[in-house]
Amino acid sequence: MRVAVGTLLALALLLGISAALTLLGQDTVVDRFVAAQPELDRAAVTRSLVLGQLLYLVLALAAGVGAVALLRGRPWGRWLGVGAALFLGLRTLLSTLTAGGTTILSLLVLVLCVAAVSSLLARTTRAWLPARRTG
């Protein structure tokens, strides 16, 4: 259970910081995209960037809420964490494959997602929740 909570909190923190920094440096990121691919529309790139970062903030919130719910013995926190980690892991894997390369951040996110899902689905986490809830 501690591993599940730790990985969910790490994902929430990592995603939150990454999204916040990207949104703060949004002009620089958009400039780099447009410089690399001049045929792209600046407004469309900005919109896509903001929407993508908002999705990461929502996933960070879901992972954080799931971790806190787990600590309080709420079974739904486990499923919220599984959903957030699975969605994030699959999205990261898909974007890595379509981009044709990976970054340190995407590798870290993938490792944390696998650790979160496997620990959330472990028998020990399942067994801990009902015991905590009835106690």
Side-chain angles (χ1 to χ4, degrees), residues 32-134:
R32 288 187 181 173
F33 269 105
V34 173
Q37 297 179 357
E39 70 276 1
L40 294 176
D41 178 41
R42 184 174 181 77
V45 172
T46 302
R47 187 172 39 256
S48 177
L49 178 75
V50 169
L51 289 175
Q53 298 314 303
L54 287 177
L55 174 63
Y56 284 141
L57 287 173
V58 168
L59 288 171
L61 181 65
V65 168
V68 171
L70 270 175
L71 285 173
R72 294 185 177 178
R74 305 288 195 272
W76 57 265
R78 178 173 169 234
W79 295 112
L80 181 61
V82 167
L86 269 177
F87 182 81
L88 178 63
L90 291 173
R91 187 176 196 281
T92 303
L93 183 62
L94 182 61
S95 69
T96 299
L97 292 175
T98 57
T102 187
T103 64
I104 297 291
L105 181 64
S106 62
L107 286 175
L108 181 58
V109 167
L110 285 173
V111 168
L112 286 172
C113 286
V114 168
V117 171
S118 62
S119 62
L120 285 167
L121 296 179
R123 186 180 339 158
T124 54
T125 303
R126 254 191 336 259
W128 179 83
L129 282 169
R132 287 280 301 210
R133 191 168 170 127
T134 58

Side-chain angles (χ1 to χ4, degrees), residues 3-51:
V3 173
V5 170
T7 54
L8 285 176
L9 288 175
L11 276 172
L13 188 63
L14 184 66
L15 287 177
I17 290 171
S18 175
L21 290 174
T22 301
L23 288 172
L24 287 173
Q26 163 182 332
D27 290 334
T28 305
V29 175
V30 171
D31 288 343
R32 288 187 181 173
F33 269 105
V34 173
Q37 297 179 357
E39 70 276 1
L40 294 176
D41 178 41
R42 184 174 181 77
V45 172
T46 302
R47 187 172 39 256
S48 177
L49 178 75
V50 169
L51 289 175

